[in-house]
Protein backbone atom coordinates (compact mmCIF):
# COMPACT_ATOMS: atom_id res chain seq x y z
CA UNK A 1 0.00 0.00 0.00
CA UNK A 2 1.52 3.32 -1.10
CA UNK A 3 1.47 6.12 1.47
CA UNK A 4 4.41 8.36 0.64
CA UNK A 5 2.56 11.68 0.42
CA UNK A 6 0.06 13.13 2.93
CA UNK A 7 -2.59 13.24 0.20
CA UNK A 8 -2.18 9.55 -0.62
CA UNK A 9 -4.21 8.89 2.54
CA UNK A 10 -6.10 12.15 3.05
CA UNK A 11 -8.79 10.75 5.33
CA UNK A 12 -6.31 9.09 7.70
CA UNK A 13 -4.16 12.21 7.86
CA UNK A 14 -7.18 14.42 8.50
CA UNK A 15 -8.44 12.10 11.24
CA UNK A 16 -5.07 12.10 13.00
CA UNK A 17 -4.47 15.87 12.75
CA UNK A 18 -6.95 18.69 12.29
CA UNK A 19 -10.12 16.61 12.37
CA UNK A 20 -9.11 14.25 15.16
CA UNK A 21 -12.01 15.58 17.26
CA UNK A 22 -14.38 13.79 14.86
CA UNK A 23 -12.61 10.43 15.08
CA UNK A 24 -14.16 7.21 16.35
CA UNK A 25 -11.67 4.41 17.04
CA UNK A 26 -11.30 0.74 17.83
CA UNK A 27 -7.64 0.07 18.59
CA UNK A 28 -5.67 1.10 15.51
CA UNK A 29 -8.80 1.42 13.35
CA UNK A 30 -10.19 4.93 12.92
CA UNK A 31 -13.13 6.53 11.17
CA UNK A 32 -15.11 9.76 11.07
CA UNK A 33 -18.19 10.03 13.23
CA UNK A 34 -20.68 8.40 10.81
CA UNK A 35 -22.95 11.46 10.84
CA UNK A 36 -20.14 13.44 9.17
CA UNK A 37 -18.46 11.04 6.72
CA UNK A 38 -17.91 7.38 5.86
CA UNK A 39 -14.10 7.64 5.63
CA UNK A 40 -12.10 5.13 7.69
CA UNK A 41 -8.54 3.82 7.78
CA UNK A 42 -6.00 1.57 9.46
CA UNK A 43 -2.21 2.11 9.71
CA UNK A 44 -0.50 1.41 6.40
CA UNK A 45 2.48 -0.38 7.92
CA UNK A 46 0.41 -2.86 9.96
CA UNK A 47 -3.23 -2.91 8.80
CA UNK A 48 -5.49 -4.49 11.43
CA UNK A 49 -8.54 -5.40 9.37
CA UNK A 50 -10.22 -7.18 12.28
CA UNK A 51 -10.22 -3.91 14.26
CA UNK A 52 -11.71 -2.06 11.30
CA UNK A 53 -14.31 -4.81 10.93
CA UNK A 54 -15.33 -4.42 14.60
CA UNK A 55 -15.53 -0.67 14.17
CA UNK A 56 -17.71 -1.01 11.07
CA UNK A 57 -19.99 -3.50 12.80
CA UNK A 58 -20.47 -1.06 15.66
CA UNK A 59 -20.86 2.14 13.62
CA UNK A 60 -22.03 1.18 10.13
CA UNK A 61 -20.79 1.34 6.56
CA UNK A 62 -17.27 2.68 6.00
CA UNK A 63 -15.26 3.91 3.04
CA UNK A 64 -11.54 3.58 2.34
CA UNK A 65 -10.26 6.67 0.53
CA UNK A 66 -6.63 6.35 -0.44
CA UNK A 67 -4.16 5.48 -3.17
CA UNK A 68 -4.27 1.79 -4.03
CA UNK A 69 -7.00 1.08 -1.48
CA UNK A 70 -7.22 -2.69 -0.94
CA UNK A 71 -10.27 -4.93 -0.73
CA UNK A 72 -9.83 -6.05 2.89
CA UNK A 73 -10.98 -9.39 4.26
CA UNK A 74 -14.14 -9.46 6.34
CA UNK A 75 -15.99 -6.88 4.25
CA UNK A 76 -18.60 -6.89 1.51
CA UNK A 77 -17.90 -4.35 -1.27
CA UNK A 78 -20.74 -1.90 -1.88
CA UNK A 79 -19.15 0.58 -4.29
CA UNK A 80 -15.80 1.40 -5.87
CA UNK A 81 -15.14 4.73 -7.57
CA UNK A 82 -11.67 5.49 -8.99
CA UNK A 83 -11.02 9.20 -8.45
CA UNK A 84 -8.49 11.64 -9.80
CA UNK A 85 -7.04 13.75 -7.01
CA UNK A 86 -6.21 17.26 -8.19
CA UNK A 87 -4.29 20.04 -6.47
CA UNK A 88 -4.10 23.80 -6.92
CA UNK A 89 -1.41 26.18 -5.74
CA UNK A 90 -2.64 29.22 -7.71
CA UNK A 91 -5.98 30.03 -9.30
CA UNK A 92 -6.20 31.06 -12.93
CA UNK A 93 -7.43 34.54 -13.69
CA UNK A 94 -11.03 35.23 -14.67
CA UNK A 95 -14.34 34.00 -13.35
CA UNK A 96 -17.60 35.86 -12.83
CA UNK A 97 -18.62 37.78 -9.74
CA UNK A 98 -21.51 36.21 -7.85
CA UNK A 99 -23.25 37.35 -4.69
CA UNK A 100 -22.66 34.61 -2.13
CA UNK A 101 -23.30 34.03 1.55
CA UNK A 102 -21.48 32.06 4.19
CA UNK A 103 -23.63 29.09 5.14
CA UNK A 104 -24.17 28.00 8.75
CA UNK A 105 -25.50 25.01 10.63
CA UNK A 106 -28.98 26.51 10.28
CA UNK A 107 -28.68 25.96 6.52
CA UNK A 108 -27.89 22.27 7.04
CA UNK A 109 -31.28 20.86 5.95
CA UNK A 110 -31.24 22.90 2.72
CA UNK A 111 -27.65 21.88 2.02
CA UNK A 112 -28.46 18.21 2.53
CA UNK A 113 -31.51 18.50 0.28
CA UNK A 114 -29.48 20.15 -2.49
CA UNK A 115 -26.72 17.54 -2.22
CA UNK A 116 -29.25 14.71 -2.20
CA UNK A 117 -30.79 16.09 -5.40
CA UNK A 118 -27.53 16.74 -7.25
CA UNK A 119 -25.26 14.03 -5.79
CA UNK A 120 -21.89 15.80 -5.77
CA UNK A 121 -20.48 12.99 -3.64
CA UNK A 122 -21.12 11.52 -0.19
CA UNK A 123 -23.03 14.13 1.81
CA UNK A 124 -24.48 13.12 5.16
CA UNK A 125 -26.42 14.78 7.97
CA UNK A 126 -23.41 16.69 9.34
CA UNK A 127 -21.08 16.80 6.35
CA UNK A 128 -21.74 20.53 6.10
CA UNK A 129 -19.96 20.97 9.45
CA UNK A 130 -16.64 19.51 8.26
CA UNK A 131 -15.56 22.93 7.01
CA UNK A 132 -16.87 26.33 5.90
CA UNK A 133 -19.35 26.46 3.02
CA UNK A 134 -20.58 29.26 0.80
CA UNK A 135 -23.77 29.32 -1.22
CA UNK A 136 -25.90 31.22 -3.70
CA UNK A 137 -29.60 31.90 -3.20
CA UNK A 138 -32.15 32.67 -5.85
CA UNK A 139 -35.73 33.57 -4.96
CA UNK A 140 -34.96 32.66 -1.37
CA UNK A 141 -33.77 29.14 -2.22
CA UNK A 142 -30.28 27.70 -1.90
CA UNK A 143 -29.40 26.82 -5.49
CA UNK A 144 -25.63 26.31 -5.40
CA UNK A 145 -22.93 25.65 -2.84
CA UNK A 146 -19.31 24.64 -2.32
CA UNK A 147 -17.16 24.15 0.75
CA UNK A 148 -14.36 22.34 2.49
CA UNK A 149 -14.34 18.72 3.66
CA UNK A 150 -11.04 17.06 4.60
CA UNK A 151 -8.52 19.26 6.38
CA UNK A 152 -4.95 18.19 7.13
CA UNK A 153 -1.71 20.01 7.78
CA UNK A 154 -0.88 22.11 4.73
CA UNK A 155 -3.94 21.07 2.69
CA UNK A 156 -7.63 21.87 2.41
CA UNK A 157 -10.14 19.95 0.29
CA UNK A 158 -12.73 21.64 -1.92
CA UNK A 159 -15.89 19.55 -1.90
CA UNK A 160 -19.68 19.55 -1.96
CA UNK A 161 -19.78 21.56 -5.18
CA UNK A 162 -23.25 21.44 -6.67
CA UNK A 163 -25.88 23.51 -8.46
CA UNK A 164 -29.62 22.94 -8.70
CA UNK A 165 -30.52 21.74 -12.24
CA UNK A 166 -32.73 24.81 -12.80
CA UNK A 167 -29.76 27.16 -12.26
CA UNK A 168 -26.95 25.42 -14.13
CA UNK A 169 -25.04 27.07 -16.95
CA UNK A 170 -24.62 30.39 -15.11
CA UNK A 171 -21.11 29.88 -13.79
CA UNK A 172 -22.21 29.47 -10.17
CA UNK A 173 -20.13 26.36 -9.45
CA UNK A 174 -16.97 27.92 -10.83
CA UNK A 175 -17.51 31.15 -8.91
CA UNK A 176 -18.07 29.30 -5.64
CA UNK A 177 -15.08 27.04 -6.20
CA UNK A 178 -12.87 30.07 -6.77
CA UNK A 179 -13.99 31.57 -3.46
CA UNK A 180 -13.40 28.36 -1.49
CA UNK A 181 -10.06 27.69 -3.18
CA UNK A 182 -8.89 31.28 -2.67
CA UNK A 183 -9.60 31.03 1.05
CA UNK A 184 -7.52 27.86 1.31
CA UNK A 185 -4.66 29.42 -0.62
CA UNK A 186 -4.81 32.57 1.51
CA UNK A 187 -4.12 30.38 4.54
CA UNK A 188 -0.87 29.33 2.89
CA UNK A 189 -2.19 25.85 2.07
CA UNK A 190 -2.58 23.81 -1.09
CA UNK A 191 -6.15 23.21 -2.26
CA UNK A 192 -7.12 19.76 -3.43
CA UNK A 193 -10.23 17.99 -4.66
CA UNK A 194 -11.39 14.71 -6.12
CA UNK A 195 -13.22 13.99 -9.37
CA UNK A 196 -14.46 10.72 -10.74
CA UNK A 197 -11.64 9.56 -12.99
CA UNK A 198 -14.14 8.78 -15.75
CA UNK A 199 -15.64 12.29 -15.76
CA UNK A 200 -13.36 13.85 -18.36
CA UNK A 201 -15.44 17.02 -18.77
CA UNK A 202 -15.48 17.69 -15.03
CA UNK A 203 -11.71 17.25 -14.83
CA UNK A 204 -11.24 19.62 -17.76
CA UNK A 205 -13.41 22.22 -15.99
CA UNK A 206 -11.30 21.97 -12.83
CA UNK A 207 -8.18 22.46 -14.94
CA UNK A 208 -9.55 25.80 -16.17
CA UNK A 209 -9.52 26.96 -12.54
CA UNK A 210 -5.90 25.96 -11.97
CA UNK A 211 -6.20 22.41 -10.62
CA UNK A 212 -3.87 19.72 -11.93
CA UNK A 213 -4.02 15.95 -11.57
CA UNK A 214 -1.81 14.50 -8.82
CA UNK A 215 -2.76 10.86 -8.19
CA UNK A 216 -5.45 8.24 -8.55
CA UNK A 217 -7.35 7.66 -5.31
CA UNK A 218 -9.70 4.74 -4.69
CA UNK A 219 -13.02 5.30 -2.99
CA UNK A 220 -14.20 1.92 -1.69
CA UNK A 221 -17.46 1.66 0.26
CA UNK A 222 -17.57 -1.45 2.46
CA UNK A 223 -19.89 -3.19 4.89
CA UNK A 224 -18.60 -5.55 7.56
CA UNK A 225 -19.71 -9.18 7.30
Amino acid sequence: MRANHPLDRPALNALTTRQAHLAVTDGPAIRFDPAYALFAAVPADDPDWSALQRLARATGTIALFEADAPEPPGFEPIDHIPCLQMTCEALTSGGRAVEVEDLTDADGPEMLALATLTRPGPFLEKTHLLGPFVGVRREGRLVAMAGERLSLDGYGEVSGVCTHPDWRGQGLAGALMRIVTARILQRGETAFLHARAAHVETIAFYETLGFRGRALIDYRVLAAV
Side-chain angles (χ1 to χ4, degrees):
M1 185 185 299
R2 183 166 62 93
N4 297 324
H5 189 284
L7 292 184
D8 285 344
R9 309 193 79 198
L12 174 64
N13 289 316
L15 281 165
T16 53
T17 58
R18 294 182 178 176
Q19 292 173 314
H21 60 290
L22 299 176
V24 181
T25 63
D26 184 320
I30 191 169
R31 71 164 298 167
F32 275 93
D33 178 321
Y36 291 79
L38 299 181
F39 303 134
V42 292
D45 54 353
D46 186 21
D48 187 341
W49 300 118
S50 61
L52 188 63
Q53 185 184 45
R54 289 195 306 270
L55 184 60
R57 283 175 176 166
T59 60
T61 301
I62 62 160
L64 298 181
F65 195 48
E66 55 197 60
D68 303 321
E71 294 186 47
F75 288 89
E76 176 185 358
I78 297 176
D79 200 4
H80 174 216
I81 303 173
C83 297
L84 177 65
Q85 183 182 83
M86 308 181 73
T87 60
C88 176
E89 296 183 355
L91 283 163
T92 58
S93 59
R96 60 169 295 186
V98 174
E99 183 177 350
V100 306
E101 64 178 70
D102 291 316
L103 301 177
T104 70
D105 190 21
D107 300 303
E110 273 192 286
M111 297 169 73
L112 180 59
L114 181 60
T116 301
L117 173 67
T118 58
R119 303 181 68 181
F123 204 96
L124 308 176
E125 178 188 356
K126 294 186 177 181
T127 299
H128 67 282
L129 297 177
L130 286 173
F133 273 76
V134 291
V136 174
R137 291 189 181 277
R138 293 287 187 269
E139 301 170 1
R141 289 191 306 160
L142 181 67
V143 300
M145 67 178 184
E148 297 183 43
R149 183 173 60 179
L150 296 176
S151 179
L152 52 150
D153 292 342
Y155 302 91
E157 183 191 23
V158 181
S159 186
V161 182
C162 56
T163 304
H164 191 285
D166 294 345
W167 297 94
R168 289 175 181 163
Q170 300 184 24
L172 300 183
L176 289 170
M177 286 187 67
R178 285 183 177 277
I179 291 170
V180 175
T181 301
R183 291 180 178 181
I184 294 170
L185 298 178
Q186 287 165 5
R187 299 198 301 258
E189 301 175 4
T190 296
F192 71 104
L193 56 75
H194 297 89
R196 288 174 181 255
H199 286 190
V200 177
E201 291 184 359
T202 301
I203 292 169
F205 166 62
Y206 293 156
E207 289 176 338
T208 67
L209 301 177
F211 284 86
R212 297 293 180 263
R214 195 200 76 83
L216 289 175
I217 300 291
D218 286 313
Y219 176 71
R220 291 189 184 275
V221 184
L222 306 164
V225 296

